Amino acid sequence: MDINSLLSPQESPTTEGTPPKGAAGTLRRENSSMASGPTSSPHAQPALPPPSLPRTTAAQAQHAGPSQPHTSPSAGRPPSANSAPSAEGRPGAARQGSTPGMDTLADLASMQHHHQAARVNANGLRSSEVYDSHQIPAVPSYPSVTSLPRTLSTPRSSIDVAMPDAATRTPPSRTYASASLAESDLQTITQLDSYLIQNPYAYTSHVQLIDLLHRGFVSHIQSSPTGLPPPSAHDYELLQDLRQSREAMQARFPVGEALWADWIADESALVVDIDGRVAVMELCRRAVEEEVGSTRLWRLYGDWVSSLHAATHPEAPPSLHSDLGGDGTWTDEEKMVGAELFGWDTVVDVWERAVRSTEWRLHDSHAIWDRYAGIMLEDLAQRPSAQKGGKLKRMFVERLQVPHETWDQTFQTFSTFITNFDAKESYEETMVETNARAAQAKALHGFREVHELKLRQAADANDSDAEWTAMSDYLDWEVAQLGKKMGSLSLCNGLYERATLRFATDARLWEDYVFFVVEKGKADPNMIPLFPVLQRATRHCPWSGTLWSQYLLSLERGEQPFHEIEEVKHRATSTGLMDIGGMEEVLKVHTAWCGYLLRRAFHDSSTDEEADVAEVGIRSALESVKELGEKKHGKDYQGDSTYRLERIYVEYLSHSGLWDRARKEVWRALIPSRGDNWEFWLRWYNWEMICWSRLSASPRTNGAAPGKRPPSASDGTAVLRQALKRRSLDWPEKVLEVYIQHVEDHESVEELQQAVLLCRRITLGVAKRREREAAALAEAAAQQQQQQQQQQPELDQEEVLVGQPEDSGRAKRKRGPDPGAAEGNTSKKPRADEGEYQADHGAPSESSPLKRDRENTTVIVKKLPVSTSEVKVRQFFRDCGTINSLRLTQDEDAASATATIEFDSKEDVLSAQTRDMKSFEGQMIEVQVGTGSTLFVTNFPPTADEAYIRDLFKEYGEIVDVRFPSLKYNTHRRFCYVQFKSSSQASQATQLDGKALDEKTKLVAKISDPGHKQSRTGALYDGRELHVSNVDWSATEGELSRVFSKYGTVESVRIPTNIMGKSKGFAFVVFSSKDEANLALDMNLTKFKSRLLNVSLSTANPAKRQATTIISRARSSASPTPEAAAVNGATSPQADSGSRPSRDEIQARTLALTNIPDTVNDARVRALLEPYGPLTKISLRHDHQGAIVEFADTADAGKAALGVEGVEIAPGRKIGVGTVREMMAHKAEVRSDRIQPGGPKKAAGGLLQQSGPIRRPDQAGARRGGKGGLGLKRGGGGLGGGRARAGESSTVAAEAPADSAASSGAGEGKKSNADFRALFAKPEAKSKPGADAEA
């Protein structure tokens, strides 16, 4: 056995030797690792330096090149029957069946050497340049495993230098010269070459260098002066550097589709003989093996082979002839050789492989198929045969059953083919049958057109971020379709191939693809071959430990031979690229490898040699991780927090019966770093008990082997006692609980009594410790709160003016600070609703909560069982964080359910993502971040409600929720949030953005993103609007405009008017600039007509408690029209007050609506009531959950009262009709969709429970109840009261309409339909002069 195969690269010291040959030179033929698979060990073919570099870089590599590995002493020995092949493919060395001593293995290991490769930058191929190793101090800890002997004291690891393989000597810098490049480009090439000498794994620098050299090559072959032959491509001065740079990059990284295409095109232009043509063919093969799904590369490969066939076979179809192949000259000898090499079978084989590799690419697979079909049709036309015709017919039928973009064109070509080459009498039958069989393919493509369109738009816009988002959404949607009618495993796999080709170095994408293949391959392993996918994944993302570990597990599950699994492990650890992702990625690979060694060592047919190999491999992995961690993080490297490798080693020692070694080398060695963690001690305790139970339960074991002490229950007791001695243990209560239970079950009464005393003493100590910790936390919190209070700026106290009469002349916008505040009047208490307003508008205050960020704190949980409930889902996710809201909906297929969960913070969302692919009630669930699944929608009609919004967006997906904002503090808000089930559905719905809903309204529908919230704009917010009060009643807008125009350009002047059309005594003047508005402030206290003007900058009114909409003048009103009032010369709103309708008349035609949500605007109320008759005025009172509506006619008001009562104006909200007094008795709506933990909150304000009202019993001869109240009868009249006594008259609230005098008092509850019927049945009655007045 080659022990070197078990050691990690950093454990194998290097020795000096000659560098490998072929470090520089012309284009050479290489076998792709993907096609041939692992064929050699890293020991036989070192990974570094690359096969070629630019000349200076190649010279640099001469000084740091790897040496040839030493030959193992076991090489050349005859293999035994049990030996496994070594990494080089040699049989292993013969050994005895039992090898109890480890010294021999250690000696062999010390003779093995292996060169450690370099690593790439931390972000893989996406990042710009080098990876820097940061020294992060940590608590010193690591189990002291017995070290293997070393022949070199300082082994080299991938973390030794910031970028490995740096020069030991710097060669003289080289001057690049070429007439095809500018001087600045040549200087850049020199700089890039020098940089790559020190940093050979700088991906971006490789790409830039190749791009510049390629640009010079293209410029060279196109720079022919007029009248002269074009220059030879071989005369390009930097041709050798271009070739070497490409080979150097390809040795380290996947080149990528675009660079491969340029490479093939350049080499094609350089071809002069048959060797060059074969080399280009080989280059094409390497390209398609690395990027197997690229239609572009397959097309280049197929066209190149076709052109070679046409050049050597004159009878070839005409379409195969092209100008490919360099200068196009062939000697007779080359044609003879080419006729054998480039036969028709070779052409057909290449095109058939191209079709199979790309057929499930919906958008561009036709580029391969159409070319292949055209070649075959031409061949059939030249050399017709029934066999070829039958083959072509089967090809077309199979192709038409595969969804693709040009299906109609393929069907038309098939129709022509059938007409020309098939029996004419069966044409119709063939076409009908084919069309029926291909119906599913057409449906599958049509179902995906929206996603394909988004991808195409993003690609055309050259927006990689948008393309990534579209591709991610497309993948999520495609995976969700599996198992449904429109799902397709082949289409999903094809989409993953497209995604990994476009974003070739995204490790997360490759991981998703690999897990997808692993999961779907269980049903049919041949459907999607797993090993080729894993090979390409680890080639493109060699820094992903997840991919390498899956590769190892898949090989083990596939029962591959040991030497293949061993070689994959060494490819992972020898490149040096994996550890850049952090120690976690390294640990994933070592865990998978050591787990394999453990299982291999103790299966039923294992040998002693396999057990010895497992021990060496596991110990080697432990030391490798320790050394790498110390190199990367310093001597204080803490180790794996979950000690995965150590647990594997413990399992190995347990199976071997070496329990004392497990305690000494692993568990006790972990105490310095993990001793404060209660979970560590319970794991150790559980291990002790498992070992004891295994030994006790085994019928073959009567005791331990000689020299080995068997485990016992007392070992578990000792572990728990040792844990309880640590004063810094984080959760001693849990260990105490286990300790008492263990002693009660397994120890004597004496030990139990001692345990009780110990637990009592420790419990007292823990209690005091908790008190000290609580006091320290309280003190720290107090200090933090004090600092916050000191740093918080003082806020200006502004009085919110509410409910001012509309004709009072007060400005609707605030003109300045409250005079009371300026005088230092602090006696006023802030209103409760003022705090609500500030919280809603983001004003800073100590008590206002942070604004919710639903867009970034929401997760979508899919594939939940249909039978589950919100309570169960909340219980499943409660440990992830605070859940604000949860909504559970059933999927369209009725086979599963989806939950939308809003958490309190982004950190909670990250925690919830760990539940992805976990089992919930026996079903695997998916957890996705809900970012991008919510639309911000505005500019819809004012009358739009939730049903309107849902109907508008229903075709784009399932709508989870529609949220309208509260209008309590701003009645002009008109927008909503529409939450879809997935981000892809929301993205599709943005197609409605800009849609014209009517002549004046264009809808706005964008993905909600609080981070891109725009500031308000306009004259008010730009500081260009002036508020002018105390304006003369007779002033006109034109007069004001002329007065203010001397300060600048006046854009508009507006004088608000009342219902009579009269001025309210103030105006708004808008200037074209802020500076002009500031100059116009000089008009303050200037006399205009008969008054002194008050001029100030307009400010937004922060709290508008009610919104009154004047619609028209009442028809029954005796007041004059605005035109008549103007003719009569009224000079103020109060001039004609005597002709106004009476209060009783207004009350008779006024309705008060209750239970109106604060999300309903006046337009919706108007649309609901106008069908019953003309309206005069609507006043929204969201502060009382209602609205006051005045009709123009009393009869219309009565009809509306009967018609709208009980109507559902919003989901679950039915309108009530009553009096204004009843409506005003309601409090403002308090909306909260947060899940409140625990029961209802207790009223604040005191420690003692508030006492209830005192009820005294009725006394004989006395009147029942106390004094009457407003709207209440004496003696308990009203709601729930007793019957009024005889002779007592009822009192009616003064505000009750006179028309309702015959009905019950206001205290009897809201009016019923019977009351309004009685109203119409009886003539209108006036209030009696002697009626009781309101108290």
Side-chain angles (χ1 to χ4, degrees):
M1 184 69 195
D2 185 7
I3 305 302
N4 190 36
S5 65
L6 301 175
L7 299 179
S8 294
Q10 54 265 38
E11 295 172 338
S12 305
T14 59
T15 58
E16 295 183 358
T18 58
K21 297 180 180 180
T26 59
L27 187 68
R28 59 188 180 82
R29 181 171 178 175
E30 284 188 1
N31 292 327
S32 171
S33 60
M34 189 183 68
S36 59
T39 57
S40 61
S41 169
H43 309 297
Q45 185 178 357
L48 290 178
S52 59
L53 286 167
R55 292 170 189 169
T56 309
T57 311
Q60 174 64 40
Q62 301 274 340
H63 304 288
S67 63
Q68 298 294 334
H70 286 286
T71 305
S72 171
S74 61
R77 296 181 184 176
S80 66
N82 300 330
S83 62
S86 67
E88 290 85 351
R90 304 186 302 269
R95 64 179 287 122
Q96 301 297 326
S98 175
T99 55
M102 298 302 297
D103 294 338
T104 303
L105 291 174
D107 293 338
L108 288 174
S110 68
M111 300 177 187
Q112 304 289 327
H113 306 291
H114 177 62
H115 176 67
Q116 167 61 35
R119 68 170 178 273
V120 76
N121 53 312
N123 291 329
L125 307 189
R126 286 182 177 271
S127 179
S128 56
E129 295 304 337
V130 301
Y131 166 72
D132 296 326
S133 58
H134 301 284
Q135 300 298 325
I136 304 176
V139 180
S141 69
Y142 209 81
S144 55
V145 181
T146 306
S147 300
L148 296 176
R150 292 286 187 274
T151 58
L152 191 63
S153 60
T154 56
R156 185 173 183 230
S157 119
S158 63
I159 204 70
D160 281 338
V161 289
M163 185 54 64
D165 281 355
T168 56
R169 289 181 311 193
T170 302
S173 59
R174 177 193 164 194
T175 302
Y176 289 86
S178 175
S180 304
L181 288 170
E183 186 63 30
S184 59
D185 292 336
L186 294 173
Q187 292 178 358
T188 303
I189 290 174
T190 303
Q191 294 171 359
L192 289 171
D193 181 35
S194 301
Y195 183 75
L196 286 171
I197 293 173
Q198 302 294 331
N199 306 281
Y201 280 86
Y203 174 80
T204 306
S205 297
H206 278 285
V207 175
Q208 292 175 349
L209 178 61
I210 293 172
D211 180 66
L212 285 173
L213 294 172
H214 168 69
R215 193 190 311 167
F217 178 79
V218 173
S219 176
H220 172 78
I221 61 179
Q222 294 178 351
S223 61
S224 173
T226 305
L228 296 178
S232 172
H234 292 271
D235 295 336
Y236 179 49
E237 300 90 338
L238 305 179
L239 176 60
Q240 191 69 8
D241 297 286
L242 175 60
R243 284 174 162 171
Q244 292 173 353
S245 298
R246 281 170 168 160
E247 291 289 351
M249 181 178 180
Q250 202 274 335
R252 292 178 171 87
F253 307 108
V255 175
E257 183 183 45
L259 292 181
W260 272 119
D262 292 341
W263 193 350
I264 294 171
D266 292 351
E267 292 298 331
S268 300
L270 292 165
V271 168
V272 294
D273 54 19
I274 192 171
D275 290 338
R277 295 180 177 95
V278 173
V280 173
M281 184 175 173
E282 179 68 13
L283 191 65
C284 292
R285 185 190 63 80
R286 291 168 56 192
V288 297
E289 286 176 346
E290 187 169 277
E291 306 296 349
V292 68
S294 170
T295 54
R296 182 180 180 184
L297 297 179
W298 276 112
R299 181 64 185 266
L300 288 172
Y301 190 11
D303 286 342
W304 181 256
V305 175
S306 299
S307 67
L308 296 179
H309 173 79
T312 55
H313 297 79
E315 73 282 0
S319 64
L320 268 64
H321 294 273
S322 66
D323 56 354
L324 296 176
D327 56 11
T329 59
W330 291 72
T331 65
D332 294 338
E333 182 180 358
E334 287 177 339
K335 288 184 178 180
M336 291 178 60
V337 175
E340 297 180 2
L341 292 177
F342 315 123
W344 177 251
D345 291 341
T346 302
V347 175
V348 173
D349 177 69
V350 170
W351 283 110
E352 286 182 348
R353 286 193 291 129
V355 169
R356 288 196 302 269
S357 299
T358 61
E359 63 178 337
W360 293 102
R361 293 173 62 90
L362 280 180
H363 70 303
D364 63 354
S365 62
H366 57 274
I368 301 297
W369 163 260
D370 292 345
R371 175 66 170 150
Y372 175 44
I375 292 174
M376 300 303 291
L377 286 171
E378 284 185 337
D379 178 61
L380 179 64
Q382 284 187 347
R383 294 168 292 186
S385 69
Q387 182 180 2
K388 292 181 180 179
K391 179 181 178 181
L392 258 175
K393 183 177 180 180
R394 290 192 299 272
M395 285 170 45
F396 271 107
V397 172
E398 292 175 0
R399 176 61 178 171
L400 288 171
Q401 295 180 59
V402 175
H404 59 282
E405 194 171 78
T406 59
W407 190 94
D408 293 332
Q409 179 182 342
T410 306
F411 190 76
Q412 184 63 37
T413 306
F414 177 60
S415 174
T416 305
F417 164 75
I418 294 296
T419 302
N420 296 333
F421 298 99
D422 204 10
K424 295 184 179 179
E425 60 274 8
S426 62
Y427 170 81
E428 185 174 355
E429 180 183 353
T430 300
M431 299 305 292
V432 171
E433 181 184 358
T434 304
N435 197 19
R437 295 172 64 181
Q440 179 69 6
K442 294 175 63 177
L444 289 174
H445 180 267
F447 203 52
R448 289 157 175 80
E449 282 185 335
V450 174
H451 290 284
E452 293 291 339
L453 177 62
K454 290 174 58 178
L455 268 178
R456 189 181 304 113
Q457 290 174 345
D460 294 342
N462 198 25
D463 188 346
S464 59
D465 292 336
E467 194 174 356
W468 165 253
T469 301
M471 182 65 77
S472 300
D473 294 342
Y474 195 177
L475 279 170
D476 293 342
W477 178 87
E478 191 69 71
V479 172
Q481 300 307 308
L482 295 176
K484 301 180 182 178
K485 182 179 179 180
M486 288 299 172
S488 170
L489 185 62
S490 298
L491 282 175
C492 194
N493 183 68
L495 187 60
Y496 268 115
E497 289 287 352
R498 288 170 60 184
T500 52
L501 177 66
R502 176 62 183 87
F503 304 99
T505 58
D506 192 292
R508 179 64 182 272
L509 184 60
W510 278 106
E511 290 168 7
D512 291 343
Y513 186 21
V514 167
F515 287 128
F516 164 78
V517 176
V518 170
E519 180 182 2
K520 302 306 176 184
K522 295 177 182 177
D524 186 4
N526 297 323
M527 181 68 182
I528 307 174
L530 177 59
F531 293 155
V533 174
L534 284 166
Q535 267 188 330
R536 290 189 290 119
T538 52
R539 161 75 173 152
H540 285 81
C541 302
W543 50 87
S544 172
T546 300
L547 293 175
W548 286 111
S549 62
Q550 284 298 313
Y551 201 173
L552 293 171
L553 290 174
S554 300
L555 289 171
E556 181 184 359
R557 199 183 76 178
E559 299 181 353
Q560 299 301 310
F562 174 80
H563 70 91
E564 289 190 14
I565 302 177
E566 169 263 337
E567 184 175 352
V568 169
K569 182 263 179 183
H570 276 299
R571 286 219 310 270
T573 55
S574 65
T575 60
L577 302 178
M578 187 181 57
D579 60 294
I580 64 172
M583 293 301 300
E584 177 63 23
E585 302 303 312
V586 179
L587 283 165
K588 289 177 182 178
V589 178
H590 283 292
T591 301
W593 168 246
C594 293
Y596 163 67
L597 293 177
L598 178 67
R599 290 184 290 273
R600 180 172 175 265
F602 295 103
H603 65 77
D604 295 337
S605 58
S606 61
T607 64
D608 291 341
E609 180 185 4
E610 291 172 337
D612 295 340
V613 168
E615 181 175 8
V616 173
I618 296 172
R619 292 172 60 192
S620 172
L622 282 167
E623 292 193 14
S624 301
V625 171
K626 180 180 179 181
E627 291 180 5
L628 184 59
E630 291 178 351
K631 289 289 185 180
K632 191 171 184 178
H633 300 290
K635 290 295 183 182
D636 295 334
Y637 174 61
Q638 190 175 1
D640 179 17
S641 58
T642 56
Y643 34 93
R644 283 163 283 187
L645 295 180
E646 290 84 349
R647 284 188 284 162
I648 293 176
Y649 189 34
V650 165
E651 190 67 17
Y652 169 82
L653 294 174
S654 302
H655 280 288
S656 303
L658 304 174
W659 304 291
D660 287 335
R661 282 186 57 188
R663 297 185 187 97
K664 178 182 178 181
E665 296 184 9
V666 182
W667 292 117
R668 292 172 186 167
L670 284 170
I671 291 177
S673 60
R674 308 298 171 195
D676 293 339
N677 182 260
W678 65 273
E679 200 170 8
F680 162 76
W681 293 102
L682 292 190
R683 278 181 174 171
W684 186 356
Y685 163 75
N686 290 332
W687 173 79
E688 294 283 2
M689 300 306 293
I690 289 173
C691 292
W692 174 57
S693 62
R694 284 177 181 173
L695 190 65
S696 303
S698 176
R700 297 176 301 173
T701 306
N702 297 324
K708 298 179 181 178
R709 185 180 65 84
S712 65
S714 300
D715 294 322
T717 308
V719 170
L720 295 176
R721 275 184 169 276
Q722 189 175 359
L724 293 174
K725 291 179 181 179
R726 297 188 67 88
R727 296 180 177 273
S728 55
L729 190 63
D730 52 0
W731 194 9
E733 294 89 343
K734 181 65 176 178
V735 180
L736 282 171
E737 177 185 348
V738 176
Y739 177 53
I740 286 294
Q741 185 65 40
H742 169 80
V743 172
E744 288 178 348
D745 294 341
H746 303 288
E747 296 292 349
S748 63
V749 64
E750 292 82 2
E751 182 68 28
L752 176 59
Q753 189 174 25
Q754 293 296 325
V756 171
L757 295 175
L758 176 63
C759 289
R760 183 177 183 277
R761 185 172 67 253
I762 293 177
T763 301
L764 294 175
V766 170
K768 294 181 180 179
R769 170 183 153 192
R770 298 295 188 214
E771 291 177 0
R772 291 193 301 269
E773 292 175 351
L777 288 174
E779 183 180 357
Q783 292 178 356
Q784 183 178 5
Q785 184 177 4
Q786 184 178 3
Q787 292 175 357
Q788 292 177 352
Q789 291 176 354
Q790 292 175 354
Q791 294 174 359
Q792 183 172 354
E794 296 182 358
L795 303 177
D796 295 332
Q797 299 296 325
E798 297 182 354
E799 181 181 2
V800 180
L801 303 179
V802 181
Q804 295 294 336
E806 291 190 353
D807 57 355
S808 64
R810 292 295 297 264
K812 298 178 83 172
R813 296 189 176 123
K814 283 183 63 67
R815 296 192 298 271
D818 188 346
E823 296 173 3
N825 184 4
T826 59
S827 60
K828 287 187 177 182
K829 295 181 179 180
R831 298 179 55 142
D833 49 18
E834 228 175 290
E836 295 176 6
Y837 172 81
Q838 291 177 349
D840 185 65
H841 288 71
S845 69
E846 290 185 18
S847 59
S848 61
L850 296 176
K851 194 171 182 65
R852 294 167 69 174
D853 185 8
R854 289 184 177 92
E855 286 74 9
N856 296 314
T857 58
T858 300
V859 298
I860 300 175
V861 186
K862 300 180 180 179
K863 297 185 178 180
L864 289 166
V866 180
S867 59
T868 192
S869 64
E870 291 188 2
V871 175
K872 293 180 180 179
V873 175
R874 188 162 63 248
Q875 290 174 346
F876 185 76
F877 285 95
R878 63 185 176 186
D879 294 334
C880 300
T882 303
I883 297 177
N884 285 339
S885 64
L886 188 150
R887 185 182 294 267
L888 187 65
T889 58
Q890 188 173 355
D891 294 341
E892 296 178 357
D893 57 3
S896 61
T898 299
T900 303
I901 306 175
E902 180 201 348
F903 286 94
D904 196 53
S905 66
K906 296 180 181 179
E907 290 74 15
D908 297 343
V909 171
L910 296 176
S911 179
Q913 284 184 276
T914 61
R915 303 297 173 94
D916 186 31
M917 302 308 295
K918 295 296 178 65
S919 177
F920 177 80
E921 297 184 357
Q923 189 166 325
M924 302 297 290
I925 62 173
E926 296 179 3
V927 181
Q928 300 174 359
V929 180
T931 303
S933 62
T934 302
L935 287 187
F936 171 78
V937 183
T938 186
N939 215 29
F940 44 78
T943 56
D945 57 2
E946 181 173 341
Y948 177 92
I949 297 297
R950 286 183 178 273
D951 185 68
L952 188 64
F953 289 95
K954 64 181 180 181
E955 62 180 295
Y956 297 100
E958 185 173 352
I959 297 175
V960 176
D961 191 19
V962 177
R963 302 192 306 271
F964 284 88
S966 172
L967 308 181
K968 193 185 302 182
Y969 306 106
N970 186 350
T971 58
H972 300 293
R973 304 169 84 184
R974 180 155 37 105
F975 61 87
C976 69
Y977 296 96
V978 182
Q979 184 175 0
F980 287 85
K981 226 172 192 182
S982 66
S983 58
S984 60
Q985 294 176 351
S987 183
Q988 291 179 34
T990 57
Q991 296 176 14
L992 290 180
D993 186 34
K995 178 181 179 180
L997 300 179
D998 51 42
E999 296 180 356
K1000 299 181 180 179
T1001 306
K1002 282 189 177 182
L1003 186 72
V1004 176
K1006 300 183 181 298
I1007 298 296
S1008 178
D1009 186 358
H1012 290 77
K1013 183 178 179 181
Q1014 297 179 352
S1015 301
R1016 295 178 180 268
T1017 58
L1020 172 65
Y1021 301 98
D1022 295 343
R1024 299 185 290 109
E1025 183 181 273
L1026 296 180
H1027 177 268
V1028 184
S1029 61
N1030 203 30
V1031 178
D1032 190 274
W1033 302 111
S1034 62
T1036 64
E1037 293 176 349
E1039 291 173 341
L1040 281 176
S1041 178
R1042 287 191 294 272
V1043 169
F1044 282 91
S1045 61
K1046 61 183 178 182
Y1047 296 101
T1049 303
V1050 177
E1051 291 186 349
S1052 66
V1053 176
R1054 182 171 64 90
I1055 300 178
T1057 58
N1058 59 12
I1059 187 174
M1060 308 304 300
K1062 289 295 183 179
S1063 168
K1064 291 186 176 181
F1066 60 93
F1068 297 99
V1069 182
V1070 177
F1071 284 88
S1072 60
S1073 68
K1074 181 178 180 180
D1075 294 336
E1076 294 172 350
N1078 288 328
L1079 289 175
L1081 292 175
D1082 292 342
M1083 287 291 293
N1084 188 34
L1085 300 180
T1086 300
K1087 187 174 183 180
F1088 173 67
K1089 289 195 172 184
S1090 62
R1091 294 173 177 260
L1092 295 178
L1093 299 179
N1094 293 323
V1095 183
S1096 63
L1097 289 174
S1098 296
T1099 57
N1101 185 9
K1104 189 173 183 181
R1105 281 310 200 185
Q1106 58 184 357
T1108 301
T1109 304
I1110 306 298
I1111 300 174
S1112 65
R1113 183 176 58 85
R1115 291 179 303 179
S1116 62
S1117 173
S1119 59
T1121 63
E1123 292 80 4
V1127 172
N1128 294 334
T1131 60
S1132 72
Q1134 290 78 13
D1136 295 325
S1137 59
S1139 60
R1140 290 184 174 184
S1142 66
R1143 179 173 181 176
D1144 293 339
E1145 292 176 343
I1146 295 175
Q1147 289 180 348
R1149 61 173 185 251
T1150 299
L1151 297 180
L1153 307 181
T1154 59
N1155 202 28
I1156 302 294
D1158 60 6
T1159 59
V1160 174
N1161 57 15
D1162 55 351
R1164 291 177 58 185
V1165 175
R1166 180 176 179 178
L1168 180 67
L1169 294 176
E1170 252 184 345
Y1172 297 97
L1175 304 178
T1176 299
K1177 183 169 60 175
I1178 297 176
S1179 179
L1180 285 179
R1181 295 306 302 264
H1182 289 311
D1183 52 340
H1184 295 286
Q1185 301 187 55
I1188 302 173
V1189 183
E1190 180 183 343
F1191 280 82
D1193 186 76
T1194 305
D1196 295 337
K1199 290 187 294 183
L1202 295 174
V1204 301
E1205 185 170 15
V1207 173
E1208 193 173 63
I1209 194 171
R1213 301 294 293 269
K1214 293 184 178 181
I1215 296 177
V1217 180
T1219 65
V1220 175
R1221 176 181 297 278
E1222 292 169 349
M1223 186 271 293
M1224 297 294 285
H1226 290 81
K1227 295 183 180 179
E1229 180 180 4
V1230 179
R1231 293 196 307 159
S1232 177
D1233 58 354
R1234 295 179 185 263
I1235 297 176
Q1236 300 294 339
K1241 295 183 178 180
K1242 297 182 179 180
L1247 298 176
L1248 298 178
Q1249 183 178 2
Q1250 296 180 356
S1251 60
I1254 300 175
R1255 300 183 181 273
R1256 295 183 175 87
D1258 293 339
Q1259 298 180 6
R1263 291 186 303 171
R1264 188 174 181 178
K1267 61 181 180 179
L1270 202 61
L1272 297 176
K1273 298 177 182 179
R1274 289 187 179 274
L1279 291 176
R1283 185 175 302 172
R1285 297 181 182 275
E1288 291 182 347
S1289 60
S1290 62
T1291 59
V1292 184
E1295 287 192 6
D1299 299 324
S1300 61
S1303 62
S1304 299
E1308 294 180 350
K1310 63 183 180 181
K1311 296 179 181 178
S1312 65
N1313 290 340
D1315 297 328
F1316 284 101
R1317 293 191 186 97
L1319 178 66
F1320 297 123
K1322 298 180 180 181
E1324 296 183 1
K1326 300 295 182 179
S1327 300
K1328 296 181 179 181
D1332 291 339
E1334 180 177 330

